[in-house]
Amino acid sequence: DGGITQSPKYLFRKEGQNVTLSCEQNLNHDAMYWYRQDPGQGLRLIYYSQIVNDFQKGDIAEGYSVSREKKESFPLTVTSAQKNPTAFYLCASSRQGRTVDEQYFGPGTRLTVT
Amino acid sequence: LAKTTQPISMDSYEGQEVNITCSHNNIATNDYITWYQQFPSQGPRFIIQGYKTKVTNEVASLFIPADRKSSTLSLPRVSLSDTAVYYCLVGFDSNYQLIWGAGTKLIIKP
């Protein structure tokens, strides 16, 4: 089955701890994205990557970091510097980083920090 | 700065046609307009995409006027299962940031 997987579905952490969210795709897509979604709100772009070993900051990159060492993987680290990390995190990929390319989304990870 | 505007919410009834409009006054010449549907606690999924005029697929139609400053997603004969949030995506702004609409929450009543 081709698609995007995110793990885990639910994640709980204590304040002050870094946490890494996993995102893997087997669609052979060049571009990958991380979004944050707060309750009742829209999608906000955290980071995106159009190719391996390259990524760009989105609207709300502060307190987050990413890496893109492999085409199929784009992990997101939520650092202790992120003021309000509790949210629903969505990973997506597209064939290329153009708006004509459909984005395929993963099932999301719901992060709760207390 | 490029921006999109969508209605925050809409209500309709089963069997009706629903039209949701997205305004995007500063869309770039080479950008496409894409609509996504999102159910609670799930990732959005692609519905339809267009560049100009009209596009139709098995679930929706997309109408784009000649000036491309807006687009209208049309859902024919909606059912309860069409209750969801609908987002338009219209491209990158000058800072290479994706331009997503804020989403329209559509509630279908029996």
Side-chain angles (χ1 to χ4, degrees):
Chain A
D1 260 337
I4 298 188
T5 56
Q6 292 184 245
S7 60
K9 192 168 178 64
Y10 298 96
L11 192 53
F12 298 88
R13 280 293 183 272
K14 294 290 187 186
E15 198 173 311
Q17 294 178 334
N18 291 354
V19 58
T20 297
L21 280 57
S22 166
C23 178
E24 304 277 331
Q25 55 99 357
N26 61 3
L27 300 168
N28 199 34
H29 284 169
D30 283 330
M32 296 187 75
Y33 313 79
W34 273 107
Y35 294 93
R36 170 183 172 137
Q37 192 169 39
D38 293 290
Q41 303 297 310
L43 301 165
R44 291 193 290 170
L45 185 66
I46 306 173
Y47 269 99
Y48 67 100
S49 167
Q50 297 199 329
I51 199 165
V52 174
N53 292 322
D54 187 45
F55 47 83
Q56 291 79 39
K57 292 183 179 180
D59 299 322
I60 55 167
E62 186 176 345
Y64 299 97
S65 65
V66 293
S67 63
R68 186 87 189 277
E69 296 176 3
K70 298 186 296 182
K71 188 174 186 176
E72 57 271 21
S73 179
F74 191 39
L76 173 74
T77 297
V78 184
T79 75
S80 56
Q82 169 51 233
K83 296 284 188 285
N84 296 300
T86 294
F88 186 49
Y89 290 88
L90 287 159
C91 179
S93 73
S94 63
R95 194 163 57 90
Q96 295 181 18
R98 307 168 303 172
T99 56
V100 69
D101 299 312
E102 174 185 346
Q103 291 190 32
Y104 293 77
F105 285 82
T109 292
R110 192 168 297 280
L111 173 65
T112 303
V113 177
T114 58
Chain B
L1 189 65
K3 187 178 172 176
T4 60
T5 304
Q6 299 179 236
I8 294 173
S9 64
M10 295 179 68
D11 290 353
S12 189
Y13 292 90
E14 282 191 293
Q16 299 295 305
E17 177 184 79
V18 171
N19 296 311
I20 306 174
T21 297
C22 178
S23 298
H24 31 79
N25 290 327
N26 298 316
I27 187 170
T29 303
N30 58 345
D31 278 332
Y32 282 71
I33 299 153
T34 311
W35 284 80
Y36 290 82
Q37 176 192 55
Q38 186 181 28
F39 297 112
S41 298
Q42 294 184 24
R45 64 175 186 175
F46 174 92
I47 302 174
I48 196 166
Q49 181 184 77
Y51 183 78
K52 60 181 179 181
T53 64
K54 177 183 174 182
V55 179
T56 297
N57 63 21
E58 62 276 9
V59 298
S61 294
L62 180 59
F63 299 91
I64 305 168
D67 64 7
R68 300 196 343 113
K69 291 179 186 264
S70 67
S71 58
T72 299
L73 172 71
S74 181
L75 304 173
R77 297 180 301 281
V78 292
S79 64
L80 296 176
S81 63
D82 292 315
T83 293
V85 179
Y86 294 83
Y87 295 95
C88 60
L89 170 64
V90 298
F92 289 90
D93 65 17
S94 57
N95 294 317
Y96 300 102
Q97 298 299 306
L98 287 168
I99 307 167
W100 285 88
T104 297
K105 184 173 185 178
L106 175 64
I107 298 174
I108 305 301
K109 302 174 184 177

